[in-house]
Amino acid sequence: MSSRRLVVALLVVTLAGSATAALAAPKKKPKKVERVAEGVYQTPAVAPYIGPASSGAISCEPQGSAPGCVSFPMQAGELYVDIALADQAGQAVYAKLFDSNFEELGEVCGASDQPIVVSGTAEVIVAIIEGPCADATPALATTGTITATFSNLP
């Protein structure tokens, strides 16, 4: 009987030690998940008229090529976006980002220098703006591609 008690005692101690080690182990950091989407613009948007179609404004097609803007539908878990703009003219391009309600999320001159927070919206609308960037960097938009990299972490 005593050998059986010894085996049971060793099992209990081993299980208790394993449980303690598991609880003490550091939690894993969340893994960054990215999705890349592209859209094409054909001309700058007319800035004062970017808004809901019901107001007579430019309405972007989902990932389509409305004249001066591209709409990117959001997917579950996406909280941030990085934007890169590549124009056929080879110059910097100025763009503003809007949410589904046409509230401004940020602006980009050529490419975002840090992730832009986009949580809480059904889509991200990137509107190409004619003229220089907000910091006076010369910009020229003709026809080009918008690359949006969405992620769950910055």
Short mmCIF file of all heavy atoms in Angstrom, two decimals, residues 39-96:
data_model
loop_
_atom_site.label_atom_id
_atom_site.label_comp_id
_atom_site.label_asym_id
_atom_site.label_seq_id
_atom_site.Cartn_x
_atom_site.Cartn_y
_atom_site.Cartn_z
N GLY A 39 -6.51 49.68 -54.81
CA GLY A 39 -7.54 50.32 -55.61
C GLY A 39 -6.87 51.31 -56.55
O GLY A 39 -5.73 51.74 -56.33
N VAL A 40 -7.57 51.66 -57.61
CA VAL A 40 -7.03 52.56 -58.63
C VAL A 40 -7.83 53.86 -58.65
O VAL A 40 -9.06 53.83 -58.58
CB VAL A 40 -7.08 51.89 -60.02
CG1 VAL A 40 -6.64 52.84 -61.11
CG2 VAL A 40 -6.23 50.63 -60.02
N TYR A 41 -7.12 54.98 -58.73
CA TYR A 41 -7.79 56.27 -58.93
C TYR A 41 -7.40 56.78 -60.31
O TYR A 41 -6.35 56.43 -60.85
CB TYR A 41 -7.42 57.29 -57.83
CG TYR A 41 -5.96 57.66 -57.79
CD1 TYR A 41 -5.47 58.72 -58.55
CD2 TYR A 41 -5.07 56.95 -57.00
CE1 TYR A 41 -4.12 59.05 -58.51
CE2 TYR A 41 -3.73 57.28 -56.96
CZ TYR A 41 -3.26 58.33 -57.71
OH TYR A 41 -1.94 58.66 -57.68
N GLN A 42 -8.27 57.60 -60.90
CA GLN A 42 -8.04 58.07 -62.27
C GLN A 42 -7.86 59.57 -62.37
O GLN A 42 -7.49 60.07 -63.43
CB GLN A 42 -9.20 57.61 -63.16
CG GLN A 42 -9.28 56.11 -63.21
CD GLN A 42 -10.61 55.61 -63.76
OE1 GLN A 42 -11.58 56.34 -63.82
NE2 GLN A 42 -10.63 54.36 -64.14
N THR A 43 -8.14 60.28 -61.29
CA THR A 43 -8.03 61.73 -61.27
C THR A 43 -8.19 62.18 -59.83
O THR A 43 -8.72 61.43 -59.02
CB THR A 43 -9.13 62.36 -62.16
OG1 THR A 43 -8.97 63.78 -62.15
CG2 THR A 43 -10.50 62.00 -61.69
N PRO A 44 -7.76 63.37 -59.49
CA PRO A 44 -8.03 63.84 -58.12
C PRO A 44 -9.53 64.02 -57.89
O PRO A 44 -10.28 64.28 -58.82
CB PRO A 44 -7.32 65.20 -58.06
CG PRO A 44 -6.28 65.14 -59.13
CD PRO A 44 -6.88 64.28 -60.22
N ALA A 45 -9.96 63.89 -56.65
CA ALA A 45 -11.34 64.15 -56.27
C ALA A 45 -11.52 65.66 -56.14
O ALA A 45 -10.54 66.40 -55.99
CB ALA A 45 -11.67 63.47 -54.95
N VAL A 46 -12.74 66.12 -56.19
CA VAL A 46 -13.02 67.53 -55.98
C VAL A 46 -13.32 67.69 -54.49
O VAL A 46 -14.39 67.34 -54.02
CB VAL A 46 -14.21 67.98 -56.85
CG1 VAL A 46 -14.48 69.46 -56.65
CG2 VAL A 46 -13.94 67.67 -58.31
N ALA A 47 -12.32 68.18 -53.74
CA ALA A 47 -12.35 68.17 -52.28
C ALA A 47 -13.63 68.69 -51.62
O ALA A 47 -14.14 68.03 -50.73
CB ALA A 47 -11.14 68.91 -51.73
N PRO A 48 -14.21 69.80 -52.03
CA PRO A 48 -15.41 70.25 -51.30
C PRO A 48 -16.61 69.34 -51.50
O PRO A 48 -17.58 69.46 -50.78
CB PRO A 48 -15.70 71.62 -51.90
CG PRO A 48 -14.47 72.02 -52.63
CD PRO A 48 -13.77 70.76 -53.01
N TYR A 49 -16.54 68.42 -52.46
CA TYR A 49 -17.70 67.61 -52.78
C TYR A 49 -17.55 66.15 -52.37
O TYR A 49 -18.29 65.31 -52.82
CB TYR A 49 -18.02 67.72 -54.28
CG TYR A 49 -18.24 69.16 -54.68
CD1 TYR A 49 -17.28 69.84 -55.39
CD2 TYR A 49 -19.39 69.82 -54.28
CE1 TYR A 49 -17.48 71.17 -55.72
CE2 TYR A 49 -19.59 71.14 -54.61
CZ TYR A 49 -18.63 71.81 -55.33
OH TYR A 49 -18.82 73.13 -55.65
N ILE A 50 -16.62 65.85 -51.51
CA ILE A 50 -16.46 64.48 -51.02
C ILE A 50 -17.45 64.29 -49.87
O ILE A 50 -17.42 65.01 -48.90
CB ILE A 50 -15.03 64.22 -50.53
CG1 ILE A 50 -14.04 64.41 -51.66
CG2 ILE A 50 -14.91 62.82 -49.94
CD1 ILE A 50 -12.61 64.47 -51.21
N GLY A 51 -18.36 63.35 -50.03
CA GLY A 51 -19.36 63.12 -49.00
C GLY A 51 -20.37 62.11 -49.47
O GLY A 51 -20.17 61.46 -50.50
N PRO A 52 -21.46 61.96 -48.74
CA PRO A 52 -22.47 60.97 -49.12
C PRO A 52 -23.08 61.29 -50.48
O PRO A 52 -23.29 62.45 -50.82
CB PRO A 52 -23.52 61.09 -48.02
CG PRO A 52 -22.88 61.86 -46.92
CD PRO A 52 -21.80 62.68 -47.53
N ALA A 53 -23.38 60.26 -51.25
CA ALA A 53 -23.97 60.45 -52.58
C ALA A 53 -25.30 61.19 -52.47
O ALA A 53 -25.65 61.96 -53.36
CB ALA A 53 -24.16 59.10 -53.26
N SER A 54 -26.03 61.01 -51.39
CA SER A 54 -27.32 61.67 -51.21
C SER A 54 -27.19 63.19 -51.18
O SER A 54 -28.13 63.91 -51.44
CB SER A 54 -28.00 61.18 -49.93
OG SER A 54 -27.19 61.48 -48.82
N SER A 55 -25.99 63.69 -50.87
CA SER A 55 -25.77 65.13 -50.84
C SER A 55 -25.24 65.64 -52.18
O SER A 55 -24.87 66.80 -52.30
CB SER A 55 -24.80 65.49 -49.72
OG SER A 55 -23.51 64.99 -50.04
N GLY A 56 -25.20 64.77 -53.17
CA GLY A 56 -24.69 65.17 -54.48
C GLY A 56 -23.19 65.10 -54.56
O GLY A 56 -22.57 65.58 -55.50
N ALA A 57 -22.55 64.48 -53.56
CA ALA A 57 -21.09 64.42 -53.50
C ALA A 57 -20.57 63.17 -54.20
O ALA A 57 -21.33 62.31 -54.62
CB ALA A 57 -20.65 64.41 -52.04
N ILE A 58 -19.26 63.09 -54.31
CA ILE A 58 -18.61 61.92 -54.89
C ILE A 58 -18.87 60.74 -53.97
O ILE A 58 -18.70 60.83 -52.76
CB ILE A 58 -17.09 62.15 -55.00
CG1 ILE A 58 -16.81 63.24 -56.03
CG2 ILE A 58 -16.37 60.87 -55.37
CD1 ILE A 58 -15.37 63.69 -56.05
N SER A 59 -19.29 59.63 -54.53
CA SER A 59 -19.49 58.42 -53.76
C SER A 59 -18.53 57.37 -54.31
O SER A 59 -18.54 57.09 -55.50
CB SER A 59 -20.93 57.93 -53.89
OG SER A 59 -21.09 56.73 -53.19
N CYS A 60 -17.70 56.81 -53.47
CA CYS A 60 -16.71 55.83 -53.91
C CYS A 60 -17.34 54.45 -54.02
O CYS A 60 -18.11 54.03 -53.16
CB CYS A 60 -15.56 55.76 -52.93
SG CYS A 60 -14.62 57.28 -52.84
N GLU A 61 -16.98 53.74 -55.04
CA GLU A 61 -17.39 52.35 -55.20
C GLU A 61 -16.53 51.50 -54.27
O GLU A 61 -15.35 51.78 -54.12
CB GLU A 61 -17.13 51.88 -56.64
CG GLU A 61 -17.82 52.72 -57.69
CD GLU A 61 -19.31 52.47 -57.74
OE1 GLU A 61 -19.72 51.34 -57.44
OE2 GLU A 61 -20.04 53.41 -58.05
N PRO A 62 -17.07 50.44 -53.65
CA PRO A 62 -16.21 49.58 -52.84
C PRO A 62 -15.08 49.01 -53.68
O PRO A 62 -15.31 48.34 -54.68
CB PRO A 62 -17.16 48.48 -52.36
CG PRO A 62 -18.51 49.11 -52.42
CD PRO A 62 -18.46 50.07 -53.59
N GLN A 63 -13.89 49.33 -53.31
CA GLN A 63 -12.65 48.92 -53.99
C GLN A 63 -12.75 49.14 -55.50
O GLN A 63 -12.09 48.48 -56.28
CB GLN A 63 -12.30 47.48 -53.67
CG GLN A 63 -11.81 47.33 -52.27
CD GLN A 63 -11.02 46.08 -52.05
OE1 GLN A 63 -10.64 45.39 -52.98
NE2 GLN A 63 -10.75 45.77 -50.82
N GLY A 64 -13.57 50.07 -55.90
CA GLY A 64 -13.70 50.38 -57.32
C GLY A 64 -12.82 51.55 -57.70
O GLY A 64 -11.89 51.90 -56.99
N SER A 65 -13.12 52.15 -58.80
CA SER A 65 -12.30 53.27 -59.24
C SER A 65 -13.17 54.46 -59.59
O SER A 65 -13.28 54.86 -60.73
CB SER A 65 -11.44 52.84 -60.44
OG SER A 65 -12.26 52.34 -61.47
N ALA A 66 -13.86 55.00 -58.58
CA ALA A 66 -14.55 56.27 -58.77
C ALA A 66 -13.46 57.26 -59.14
O ALA A 66 -12.29 57.05 -58.80
CB ALA A 66 -15.26 56.65 -57.49
N PRO A 67 -13.80 58.33 -59.83
CA PRO A 67 -12.75 59.18 -60.39
C PRO A 67 -11.59 59.53 -59.46
O PRO A 67 -10.46 59.37 -59.83
CB PRO A 67 -13.51 60.42 -60.83
CG PRO A 67 -14.88 59.94 -61.10
CD PRO A 67 -15.12 58.83 -60.11
N GLY A 68 -11.87 59.99 -58.25
CA GLY A 68 -10.76 60.43 -57.41
C GLY A 68 -10.71 59.82 -56.04
O GLY A 68 -10.05 60.36 -55.15
N CYS A 69 -11.40 58.71 -55.85
CA CYS A 69 -11.35 58.11 -54.53
C CYS A 69 -11.58 56.60 -54.62
O CYS A 69 -12.09 56.10 -55.61
CB CYS A 69 -12.38 58.74 -53.59
SG CYS A 69 -14.07 58.64 -54.15
N VAL A 70 -11.14 55.93 -53.57
CA VAL A 70 -11.33 54.48 -53.49
C VAL A 70 -11.84 54.17 -52.09
O VAL A 70 -11.34 54.70 -51.11
CB VAL A 70 -10.00 53.72 -53.76
CG1 VAL A 70 -10.17 52.23 -53.55
CG2 VAL A 70 -9.51 54.01 -55.17
N SER A 71 -12.83 53.30 -52.02
CA SER A 71 -13.40 52.87 -50.76
C SER A 71 -12.94 51.45 -50.47
O SER A 71 -13.04 50.58 -51.33
CB SER A 71 -14.93 52.91 -50.84
OG SER A 71 -15.48 52.35 -49.68
N PHE A 72 -12.43 51.25 -49.26
CA PHE A 72 -11.97 49.92 -48.84
C PHE A 72 -12.87 49.43 -47.71
O PHE A 72 -12.85 50.00 -46.62
CB PHE A 72 -10.52 49.98 -48.34
CG PHE A 72 -9.52 50.35 -49.38
CD1 PHE A 72 -9.05 51.65 -49.49
CD2 PHE A 72 -9.04 49.40 -50.27
CE1 PHE A 72 -8.12 52.00 -50.44
CE2 PHE A 72 -8.10 49.74 -51.24
CZ PHE A 72 -7.64 51.04 -51.33
N PRO A 73 -13.68 48.39 -47.93
CA PRO A 73 -14.50 47.84 -46.84
C PRO A 73 -13.60 47.26 -45.74
O PRO A 73 -12.58 46.65 -46.02
CB PRO A 73 -15.30 46.73 -47.52
CG PRO A 73 -15.23 47.01 -48.98
CD PRO A 73 -13.92 47.71 -49.20
N MET A 74 -14.01 47.48 -44.50
CA MET A 74 -13.27 46.97 -43.35
C MET A 74 -13.67 45.52 -43.09
O MET A 74 -14.78 45.11 -43.40
CB MET A 74 -13.58 47.80 -42.11
CG MET A 74 -13.15 49.25 -42.21
SD MET A 74 -11.38 49.45 -42.08
CE MET A 74 -11.13 48.96 -40.38
N GLN A 75 -12.75 44.76 -42.49
CA GLN A 75 -13.04 43.39 -42.07
C GLN A 75 -12.89 43.30 -40.56
O GLN A 75 -12.24 44.15 -39.93
CB GLN A 75 -12.10 42.41 -42.78
CG GLN A 75 -12.35 42.35 -44.27
CD GLN A 75 -11.49 41.32 -44.97
OE1 GLN A 75 -10.69 40.61 -44.36
NE2 GLN A 75 -11.65 41.22 -46.28
N ALA A 76 -13.49 42.30 -39.98
CA ALA A 76 -13.48 42.12 -38.52
C ALA A 76 -12.05 42.13 -37.98
O ALA A 76 -11.15 41.53 -38.56
CB ALA A 76 -14.17 40.81 -38.15
N GLY A 77 -11.86 42.84 -36.88
CA GLY A 77 -10.56 42.86 -36.20
C GLY A 77 -9.59 43.90 -36.73
O GLY A 77 -8.53 44.10 -36.15
N GLU A 78 -9.91 44.58 -37.81
CA GLU A 78 -9.00 45.59 -38.37
C GLU A 78 -9.18 46.90 -37.62
O GLU A 78 -10.29 47.42 -37.50
CB GLU A 78 -9.25 45.77 -39.87
CG GLU A 78 -8.91 44.53 -40.65
CD GLU A 78 -9.22 44.61 -42.14
OE1 GLU A 78 -10.07 45.43 -42.54
OE2 GLU A 78 -8.61 43.83 -42.88
N LEU A 79 -8.06 47.43 -37.11
CA LEU A 79 -8.09 48.65 -36.31
C LEU A 79 -7.20 49.75 -36.86
O LEU A 79 -7.35 50.91 -36.48
CB LEU A 79 -7.65 48.32 -34.88
CG LEU A 79 -8.45 47.24 -34.16
CD1 LEU A 79 -7.81 46.92 -32.82
CD2 LEU A 79 -9.89 47.66 -33.99
N TYR A 80 -6.27 49.40 -37.74
CA TYR A 80 -5.28 50.36 -38.26
C TYR A 80 -5.11 50.17 -39.76
O TYR A 80 -5.35 49.10 -40.29
CB TYR A 80 -3.91 50.16 -37.59
CG TYR A 80 -3.96 50.28 -36.09
CD1 TYR A 80 -4.19 49.17 -35.29
CD2 TYR A 80 -3.78 51.52 -35.48
CE1 TYR A 80 -4.25 49.29 -33.91
CE2 TYR A 80 -3.84 51.64 -34.10
CZ TYR A 80 -4.07 50.53 -33.32
OH TYR A 80 -4.12 50.63 -31.96
N VAL A 81 -4.64 51.24 -40.42
CA VAL A 81 -4.32 51.13 -41.85
C VAL A 81 -3.07 51.96 -42.14
O VAL A 81 -2.85 53.01 -41.54
CB VAL A 81 -5.49 51.59 -42.74
CG1 VAL A 81 -5.75 53.09 -42.61
CG2 VAL A 81 -5.25 51.22 -44.19
N ASP A 82 -2.24 51.43 -43.00
CA ASP A 82 -1.11 52.15 -43.59
C ASP A 82 -1.44 52.35 -45.05
O ASP A 82 -1.92 51.42 -45.71
CB ASP A 82 0.20 51.35 -43.46
CG ASP A 82 0.84 51.52 -42.10
OD1 ASP A 82 1.10 52.67 -41.71
OD2 ASP A 82 1.08 50.49 -41.44
N ILE A 83 -1.19 53.53 -45.58
CA ILE A 83 -1.53 53.86 -46.96
C ILE A 83 -0.26 54.19 -47.73
O ILE A 83 0.61 54.90 -47.23
CB ILE A 83 -2.48 55.07 -47.03
CG1 ILE A 83 -3.79 54.77 -46.31
CG2 ILE A 83 -2.72 55.54 -48.46
CD1 ILE A 83 -4.67 53.74 -47.00
N ALA A 84 -0.17 53.68 -48.97
CA ALA A 84 0.91 54.04 -49.89
C ALA A 84 0.26 54.43 -51.22
O ALA A 84 -0.62 53.73 -51.72
CB ALA A 84 1.87 52.87 -50.09
N LEU A 85 0.69 55.56 -51.77
CA LEU A 85 0.14 56.09 -53.01
C LEU A 85 1.22 56.07 -54.09
O LEU A 85 2.31 56.59 -53.86
CB LEU A 85 -0.36 57.52 -52.80
CG LEU A 85 -1.33 57.71 -51.63
CD1 LEU A 85 -1.46 59.17 -51.28
CD2 LEU A 85 -2.68 57.12 -51.98
N ALA A 86 0.92 55.48 -55.22
CA ALA A 86 1.88 55.42 -56.33
C ALA A 86 1.20 55.98 -57.58
O ALA A 86 0.24 55.40 -58.08
CB ALA A 86 2.34 53.99 -56.57
N ASP A 87 1.70 57.12 -58.06
CA ASP A 87 1.11 57.78 -59.22
C ASP A 87 1.98 57.57 -60.45
O ASP A 87 3.21 57.49 -60.35
CB ASP A 87 0.97 59.27 -58.94
CG ASP A 87 0.08 59.96 -59.93
OD1 ASP A 87 -1.14 60.01 -59.66
OD2 ASP A 87 0.58 60.42 -60.98
N GLN A 88 1.34 57.50 -61.61
CA GLN A 88 2.09 57.30 -62.86
C GLN A 88 3.04 58.46 -63.14
O GLN A 88 4.04 58.28 -63.82
CB GLN A 88 1.12 57.12 -64.03
CG GLN A 88 0.45 55.78 -64.03
CD GLN A 88 -0.45 55.58 -65.25
OE1 GLN A 88 -0.68 56.47 -66.04
NE2 GLN A 88 -0.96 54.36 -65.38
N ALA A 89 2.74 59.64 -62.63
CA ALA A 89 3.62 60.80 -62.85
C ALA A 89 4.90 60.71 -62.01
O ALA A 89 5.84 61.45 -62.26
CB ALA A 89 2.88 62.09 -62.52
N GLY A 90 4.91 59.83 -61.01
CA GLY A 90 6.11 59.65 -60.20
C GLY A 90 6.27 60.68 -59.10
O GLY A 90 7.29 60.70 -58.40
N GLN A 91 5.31 61.54 -58.92
CA GLN A 91 5.37 62.57 -57.88
C GLN A 91 4.64 62.11 -56.62
O GLN A 91 3.88 61.14 -56.65
CB GLN A 91 4.72 63.87 -58.39
CG GLN A 91 5.41 64.46 -59.59
CD GLN A 91 6.78 65.00 -59.25
OE1 GLN A 91 6.98 65.64 -58.21
NE2 GLN A 91 7.75 64.74 -60.10
N ALA A 92 4.85 62.83 -55.53
CA ALA A 92 4.08 62.57 -54.31
C ALA A 92 2.61 62.84 -54.61
O ALA A 92 2.27 63.64 -55.50
CB ALA A 92 4.56 63.47 -53.18
N VAL A 93 1.72 62.18 -53.88
CA VAL A 93 0.28 62.36 -54.03
C VAL A 93 -0.29 62.67 -52.65
O VAL A 93 0.08 62.05 -51.65
CB VAL A 93 -0.38 61.08 -54.60
CG1 VAL A 93 -1.88 61.23 -54.68
CG2 VAL A 93 0.19 60.76 -55.96
N TYR A 94 -1.20 63.63 -52.61
CA TYR A 94 -1.85 64.05 -51.37
C TYR A 94 -3.23 63.40 -51.31
O TYR A 94 -3.99 63.43 -52.28
CB TYR A 94 -1.97 65.56 -51.34
CG TYR A 94 -2.62 66.15 -50.11
CD1 TYR A 94 -2.33 65.67 -48.83
CD2 TYR A 94 -3.50 67.21 -50.22
CE1 TYR A 94 -2.91 66.23 -47.71
CE2 TYR A 94 -4.08 67.79 -49.10
CZ TYR A 94 -3.78 67.30 -47.85
OH TYR A 94 -4.35 67.85 -46.74
N ALA A 95 -3.55 62.77 -50.17
CA ALA A 95 -4.86 62.13 -50.00
C ALA A 95 -5.36 62.34 -48.58
O ALA A 95 -4.57 62.50 -47.65
CB ALA A 95 -4.76 60.64 -50.29
N LYS A 96 -6.68 62.35 -48.45
CA LYS A 96 -7.32 62.40 -47.14
C LYS A 96 -8.11 61.11 -46.96
O LYS A 96 -8.66 60.56 -47.91
CB LYS A 96 -8.25 63.60 -47.02
CG LYS A 96 -7.49 64.91 -46.95
CD LYS A 96 -8.40 66.06 -46.58
CE LYS A 96 -7.56 67.32 -46.42
NZ LYS A 96 -8.38 68.42 -45.86
#
